[in-house]
C-alpha cells in the first residue's frame, strides 16, 4: 500500500482557504510529529513548512478582515431593516379603529424617537449604542415590554437585540485587524507559491520515510494530515460542483479540456514508451497525486488584491 497524500488540488484554494489549511497542517505536524524521531530529512522539511506559516499570517489576517467587512455590512443592513419594519408597523397602527392600538403605537414611536430622532439612520457605532439603550429599556421598563407584545413587535425586538450583539462582537475583531495592510496580488501569489512548495516537499519526504521505515512510526501524523486535507477538499469539490451547476457552460469547457488532455496524454505515451500520463484535476478526489510538477508550480488561487 502506498501512503501518498494528494495535494495538487490545494493550489486551487482561495486566499482564505489555503492559509487556513496550512495552519491546520502546521498544528497537526507540531502535535503528532514523533518527538524521538531520527529522520533528519523529515525534520528539516517540517521546519521549512512551519517557517512558512509566519509569511502566511498577514494573508490570513487580510482574508479574515475582508470576510468581516462583508459580515458587518450584512448585519448592519439587517439591523436597519428590522428597525424600519418595527417603525412602519407601529405607524400603521396610528390609524387603527381600536383606541388602545393607537395609544400603544404612540407610546412606541415616542419611545423610539426619544432615544434617537433619526432612527435608524446613524453611523454603525451610534446605532449600536442606541439599540443597547433599547435593550435596557425593554428589560427594565415594564410598559415598553407590554407595548411591544401588544403591537406584536416583541419578536422583531429580539431579532434586533441579537443581531446587535453579533454586530458588536464582529466589529471588535474587525477593529483589532484594522491595521492589517493590503498586499499586492504578486506578493500574495509569491508567498502562497512558496508555502505550497514547502507542503509538497514535506509530503514527498514523508512518503519516502514511510516507504523506507514503515507506517507505524508516522501513522498518527499521516492520518492527521489526511484529515486536514480531506476537510478542505470536500468544501473545494462542493464549490466546484455548485459552480458547474450554476454555469452549464463550464461543463462544456471542462469536457473540451478533458478531451484535449486525453488526446495529448495518448500522444505522449505513444512517443515516449514507458512514461505515465498525468492525471487530470477531476481525478483528484479519489486518486494519488501523480502530477510531475516542479519547484516552479504555482498556487493558482483566486486571490484578489
Amino acid at each position: 500500500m502506498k501512503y501518498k497524500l494528494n495535494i495538487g488540488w490545494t493550489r486551487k484554494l482561495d486566499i482564505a482557504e489555503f492559509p487556513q489549511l496550512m495552519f491546520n497542517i502546521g498544528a497537526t505536524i507540531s502535535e503528532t510529529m514523533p518527538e524521538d524521531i531520527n529522520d533528519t530529512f523529515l525534520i528539516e522539511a517540517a521546519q521549512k513548512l512551519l517557517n512558512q506559516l509566519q509569511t502566511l499570517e498577514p494573508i490570513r489576517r487580510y482574508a479574515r478582515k475582508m470576510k468581516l467587512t462583508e459580515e458587518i455590512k450584512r448585519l448592519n443592513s439587517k439591523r436597519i431593516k428590522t428597525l424600519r419594519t418595527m417603525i412602519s408597523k407601529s405607524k400603521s397602527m396610528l390609524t387603527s379603529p381600536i383606541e388602545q392600538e393607537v395609544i400603544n403605537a404612540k407610546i412606541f414611536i415616542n419611545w423610539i424617537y426619544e432615544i434617537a430622532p433619526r432612527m435608524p439612520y446613524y453611523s454603525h457605532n451610534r446605532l449600536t449604542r442606541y439599540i443597547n439603550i433599547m435593550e435596557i429599556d425593554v428589560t427594565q421598563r415594564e410598559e415598553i415590554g407590554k407595548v411591544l407584545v401588544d403591537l406584536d413587535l416583541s419578536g422583531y425586538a429580539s431579532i434586533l437585540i441579537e443581531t446587535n450583539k453579533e454586530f458588536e462582537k464582529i466589529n471588535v475583531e474587525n477593529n483589532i485587524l484594522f491595521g492589517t495592510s493590503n498586499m499586492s496580488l504578486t506578493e500574495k501569489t509569491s508567498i502562497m507559491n512558496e508555502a505550497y512548495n514547502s507542503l509538497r516537499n514535506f509530503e514527498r519526504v514523508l512518503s519516502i520515510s514511510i516507504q523506507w521505515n514503515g507506517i507505524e512510526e508516522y501513522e498518527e501524523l499521516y492520518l492527521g494530515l489526511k484529515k486536514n486535507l480531506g476537510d478542505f477538499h470536500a468544501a473545494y469539490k462542493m464549490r466546484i460542483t455548485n459552480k458547474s451547476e450554476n454555469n452549464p457552460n463550464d461543463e462544456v469547457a471542462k469536457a473540451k479540456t478533458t478531451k484535449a488532455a486525453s488526446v495529448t496524454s495518448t500522444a505522449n505515451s505513444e512517443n515516449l514508451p514507458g512514461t505515465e500520463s498525468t492525471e487530470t484535476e477531476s481525478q483528484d478526489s479519489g486518486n494519488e497525486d501523480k502530477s510531475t510538477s516542479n519547484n516552479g508550480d504555482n498556487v493558482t488561487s483566486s486571490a484578489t488584491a
Side-chain angles (χ1 to χ4, degrees), residues 61 64-65 68-69 72 124-125 128 167-180:
R61 289 169 62 88
R64 177 60 179 164
K65 189 177 188 306
L68 289 176
T69 299
I72 284 173
H124 290 179
N125 290 336
T128 298
F167 180 93
E168 279 190 289
K169 181 180 178 180
I170 291 179
N171 199 42
V172 168
E173 183 180 356
N174 186 62
N175 290 334
I176 293 174
L177 296 175
F178 181 77
T180 302

Side-chain angles (χ1 to χ4, degrees), residues 177-197:
L177 296 175
F178 181 77
T180 302
S181 60
N182 194 2
M183 303 173 70
S184 69
L185 178 60
T186 301
E187 288 177 300
K188 295 170 190 169
T189 303
S190 176
I191 291 173
M192 292 172 74
N193 284 342
E194 291 177 8
Y196 170 76
N197 286 335

